[in-house]
């Protein structure tokens, strides 16, 4: 009888020791998804800003005062500057409007609900209700557009609508590439409507 009691006391003691060990080794680390992403703060914030981009008509020397021409004007209610990071960029979380001027001074406009300018690659990412309107009234509407400024190349993989008031055509598609010089336009998948006016005989 005493040996049975002794055995049960040892079992209870062993169980208590194991429970204490398991509890002390339990994982108390608080996780949020994978690992929590560190917060990145902008190095600067600007409100109600207007940037005017100019270009000299001829190459300037240190003492030259040659006139310049305006090639673009960017307006936005808010800009956040992250150019202090290893891969610098700027965001326009409340949207932006950019006016572009060609060599003849004719204005085209791009509007978007959100924008990112990647300083290292000179690529602009425009998102949300993107509307591009040329000086002659042609309009392209989509949800996202990338603009490579160095190569003057605009492209998207999203659905788009292209309206041409000159011939009354409306084209819908998915995926598009456009380059101004040399002129190149490629729509990946399209369908649309075109009005044809017959001249009386």
């Amino acid at each position: 009888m005493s040996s049975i009691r002794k055995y049960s006391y040892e079992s209870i003691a062993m169980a208590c020791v194991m429970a204490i060990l398991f509890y002390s080794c339990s994982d108390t680390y608080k996780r949020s998804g994978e690992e929590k992403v560190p917060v990145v703060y902008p190095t600067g914030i600007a409100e109600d800003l207007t940037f005017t981009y100019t270009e000299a008509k001829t190459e300037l020397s240190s003492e030259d005062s040659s006139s310049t021409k305006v090639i673009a004007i960017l307006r936005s209610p808010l800009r956040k500057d992250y150019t202090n990071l290893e891969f610098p960029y700027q965001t326009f979380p409340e949207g932006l409007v950019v006016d572009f001027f060609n060599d003849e001074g004719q204005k085209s406009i791009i509007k978007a609900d959100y924008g990112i300018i990647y300083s290292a690659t000179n690529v602009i990412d425009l998102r949300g209700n993107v509307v591009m309107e040329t000086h002659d009234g042609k309009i392209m509407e989509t949800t996202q557009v990338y603009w490579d400024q160095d190569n003057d190349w605009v492209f998207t993989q999203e659905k788009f609508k292209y309206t041409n008031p000159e011939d009354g055509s409306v084209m819908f598609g998915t995926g598009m590439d456009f380059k101004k010089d040399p002129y190149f336009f490629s729509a990946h998948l399209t369908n649309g409507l075109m009005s044809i006016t017959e001249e009386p005989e």
Side-chain angles (χ1 to χ4, degrees):
M1 189 72 160
S2 62
S3 64
I4 293 174
R5 278 198 195 125
K6 182 180 179 185
Y7 177 73
S8 55
Y9 290 146
E10 288 177 355
S11 298
I12 292 170
M14 182 62 75
C16 289
V17 169
M18 293 300 291
I20 291 170
L21 285 173
F22 279 121
Y23 181 75
S24 64
C25 293
S26 63
D27 187 0
T28 57
Y29 181 74
K30 292 183 180 178
R31 290 179 170 79
S32 57
E34 292 295 320
E35 289 297 326
K36 197 170 183 181
V37 178
V39 178
V40 178
Y41 295 99
T43 187
I45 296 175
E47 296 180 342
D48 297 322
L49 63 104
T50 300
F51 283 146
T52 301
Y53 298 89
T54 60
E55 183 180 74
K57 294 179 180 178
T58 58
E59 187 175 345
L60 301 177
S61 66
S62 59
E63 298 179 3
D64 199 351
S65 60
S66 176
S67 62
T68 59
K69 63 177 181 178
V70 176
I71 57 174
I73 298 174
L74 183 153
R75 296 184 303 277
S76 177
L78 180 66
R79 181 197 70 155
K80 295 185 178 181
D81 187 350
Y82 297 91
T83 53
N84 58 324
L85 300 179
E86 185 176 353
F87 190 72
Y89 62 93
Q90 304 170 57
T91 64
F92 300 86
E94 296 183 9
L96 71 163
V97 177
V98 185
D99 298 336
F100 296 96
F101 301 91
N102 62 16
D103 292 338
E104 287 73 41
Q106 298 166 319
K107 181 174 76 172
S108 298
I109 303 172
I110 295 181
K111 301 176 184 178
D113 292 343
Y114 184 86
I116 305 176
I117 298 178
Y118 297 102
S119 308
T121 57
N122 217 14
V123 170
I124 298 178
D125 178 2
L126 301 172
R127 305 176 191 173
N129 297 313
V130 181
V131 178
M132 305 172 68
E133 183 175 357
T134 62
H135 64 86
D136 54 0
K138 297 180 180 72
I139 300 173
M140 192 188 81
E141 302 165 76
T142 185
T143 57
Q144 185 174 27
V145 160
Y146 293 99
W147 176 29
D148 181 348
Q149 296 182 89
D150 290 340
N151 298 303
D152 204 7
W153 177 38
V154 176
F155 58 96
T156 182
Q157 296 298 321
E158 305 301 321
K159 293 181 179 179
F160 69 87
K161 175 184 176 183
Y162 177 76
T163 306
N164 186 350
E166 291 180 353
D167 57 14
S169 63
V170 179
M171 180 171 62
F172 299 90
T174 301
M176 177 275 300
D177 294 81
F178 170 78
K179 192 169 184 179
K180 186 175 74 173
D181 190 21
Y183 181 79
F184 172 81
F185 179 85
S186 172
H188 305 170
L189 179 64
T190 62
N191 60 77
L193 303 170
M194 178 179 290
S195 62
I196 300 175
T197 305
E198 294 184 5
E199 295 183 3
E201 295 181 1

